[in-house]
Amino acid sequence: MLVDLAHNPLPLDFPWLMLPDHHRHHHHGVHDGAEAYENQNLKCFFSLYTHQTHCLVLPEAFEKTVCGSSSGWLILRDETTSSVALLNPLNRAQIALPQLCSSPFYDQDPSRVLHKAVLSADPSRYPFDYKVLAIFGEKRRLVCYKARDKTWTVLQDAGNNYEDIILFKGEELLATTEIGKLVLCDLDDDGCFSPRVDEIAPPFTFKGGKVYLVGIGGELVMLIRFVQDNPRYGHETYDFEAYRYDQFEGEWEPINGLGEWTIFVGHNHTSAIKAQDFKGLIKPNCIYFTDDSLDMEDSLMVGHDLGVFSMEDRKVELLGCDLSGFMYVWPRPVWFMPSMA
């Protein structure tokens, strides 16, 4: 259960920011002058709702790499054993997935890193009918797992260099490469496990920067994130561009803003929330981002690139959670959307 929140619960439809291990953040008005936690059994979350740090008893997540946050679950990887597991932080439910090292493609890729993963459904609701789609390895290929299967499978026809994956409209698993190629991943074929990949849109941008997909009011939007060198922490985000997908023309159209929507990007399943539903808590027409750079998995200079980008002012503001005193931030902060289903 939540530590120190018995009389002040956080809303379950509002993102929490999971902080790195060993991040000793002071509570404000809760344990004045005391550090938030001292042991490995607690995991801390920064709330934009209260602007405080709150803790959960989660020894299962200690020093695990967060590969994704989706449908109320964390997707965690143990770097020493290559085991992958799903964890619901609210009730500590766990689901063990097959080890990556047991998959046929594992030894073919030098980095063997699981960059990002999303769920097709909440396993607590659909325990026998959910899938996991992930970006794996140095080539950043698409791999998948289907409930009750014994191993991970690589999507051979998908190609390489993927950067983001989402569940769109609750039914379509979409993925995009670093240059904007958009594909639809069909992980079912008459009940058999035969993943199929169909290209929906060809590459359209060579601008560099990281690419994200997000569903906004039933429309598919692509975000391009631009990063520059930072003398202290190696890199920092300075700009975003947004494009709407026209399914009739099969083209991406630039858009100037996000309207009333607020976007949360990082290792989480990219999500959009109407700011008016949480007036004063989050800013509309803004992108809340955390550090998820794919090319710095082994660098000490990771985790610090987080903030709020205004599509109107074209400026980056501080998030309110200060990690500047930490040279090594691991696991990197990640947005988590709770679910009690």
Side-chain angles (χ1 to χ4, degrees):
M1 60 183 294
L2 282 169
V3 177
D4 79 7
L5 288 180
H7 304 292
N8 185 26
L10 296 177
L12 294 180
D13 53 353
F14 194 72
W16 308 355
L17 181 64
M18 190 172 74
L19 300 175
D21 294 327
H22 306 303
H23 178 69
R24 294 178 171 86
H25 195 292
H26 294 276
H27 286 264
H28 300 287
V30 179
H31 299 294
D32 190 27
E35 291 180 336
Y37 68 87
E38 292 286 351
N39 65 73
Q40 65 187 40
N41 292 326
L42 299 185
K43 196 71 179 176
C44 286
F45 297 80
F46 176 75
S47 170
L48 294 171
Y49 194 85
T50 65
H51 281 269
Q52 293 180 352
T53 300
H54 310 286
C55 295
L56 291 171
V57 178
L58 285 176
E60 301 89 350
F62 181 68
E63 291 190 341
K64 299 288 195 307
T65 300
V66 181
C67 304
S69 169
S70 182
S71 299
W73 294 74
L74 298 174
I75 299 115
L76 304 174
R77 183 189 178 192
D78 188 316
E79 296 299 331
T80 59
T81 65
S82 84
S83 62
V84 182
L86 306 180
L87 172 66
N88 186 327
L90 297 188
N91 57 21
R92 294 179 63 183
Q94 292 186 81
I95 300 174
L97 304 184
Q99 287 188 315
L100 285 166
C101 62
S102 65
S103 304
F105 57 81
Y106 183 75
D107 290 328
Q108 302 171 10
D109 203 303
S111 75
R112 303 175 182 174
V113 174
L114 200 64
H115 298 286
K116 187 170 186 176
V118 301
L119 294 166
S120 67
D122 184 345
S124 61
R125 292 183 176 183
Y126 305 97
F128 306 113
D129 188 25
Y130 72 92
K131 299 98 181 175
V132 184
L133 183 63
I135 300 171
F136 173 82
E138 185 176 57
K139 296 180 180 179
R140 286 183 273 149
R141 294 183 293 175
L142 294 178
V143 299
C144 59
Y145 164 77
K146 185 178 178 181
R148 296 186 292 178
D149 206 71
K150 297 185 182 301
T151 187
W152 293 77
T153 300
V154 63
L155 279 64
Q156 297 285 359
D157 298 332
N160 305 329
N161 301 318
Y162 282 88
E163 288 209 342
D164 199 24
I165 41 183
I166 65 164
L167 180 68
F168 183 56
K169 294 183 177 180
E171 57 184 15
E172 297 178 342
L173 284 166
L174 301 177
T176 183
T177 66
E178 62 186 6
I179 55 175
K181 182 178 81 171
L182 179 67
V183 299
L184 171 64
C185 304
D186 183 1
L187 306 186
D188 284 311
D189 184 11
D190 296 327
C192 299
F193 195 65
S194 301
R196 193 182 75 195
V197 178
D198 296 317
E199 182 175 310
I200 298 176
F204 87 107
T205 174
F206 294 88
K207 297 180 179 180
K210 190 165 170 54
V211 179
Y212 301 90
L213 297 173
V214 61
I216 301 180
E219 291 194 313
L220 183 64
V221 172
M222 176 180 289
L223 302 174
I224 301 180
R225 177 177 179 172
F226 294 89
V227 177
Q228 63 189 4
D229 292 339
N230 177 292
R232 185 175 183 185
Y233 295 123
H235 63 282
E236 64 181 2
T237 297
Y238 69 93
D239 195 16
F240 278 89
E241 291 181 358
Y243 297 83
R244 182 187 72 86
Y245 181 64
D246 186 332
Q247 61 178 342
F248 299 106
E249 297 293 333
E251 297 178 350
W252 294 99
E253 300 176 345
I255 55 177
N256 295 323
L258 304 169
E260 62 184 348
W261 295 90
T262 303
I263 313 299
F264 292 83
V265 304
H267 274 303
N268 59 295
H269 191 157
T270 308
S271 58
I273 295 177
K274 283 187 177 180
Q276 65 180 9
D277 293 341
F278 299 94
K279 290 183 178 179
L281 298 178
I282 54 177
K283 298 179 180 180
N285 200 22
C286 286
I287 300 170
Y288 287 64
F289 61 90
T290 59
D291 195 343
D292 64 344
S293 52
L294 295 181
D295 58 346
M296 297 182 181
E297 295 290 345
D298 298 322
S299 171
L300 295 181
M301 298 293 191
V302 296
H304 299 90
D305 185 24
L306 68 166
V308 183
F309 179 78
S310 169
M311 293 290 288
E312 180 178 359
D313 300 334
R314 316 303 300 181
K315 294 180 180 179
V316 175
E317 299 179 2
L318 295 176
L319 187 59
C321 178
D322 183 19
L323 299 179
S324 61
F326 293 80
M327 178 61 71
Y328 186 53
V329 179
W330 193 265
R332 287 178 280 186
V334 60
W335 296 110
F336 167 70
M337 185 74 76
S339 175
M340 286 297 289

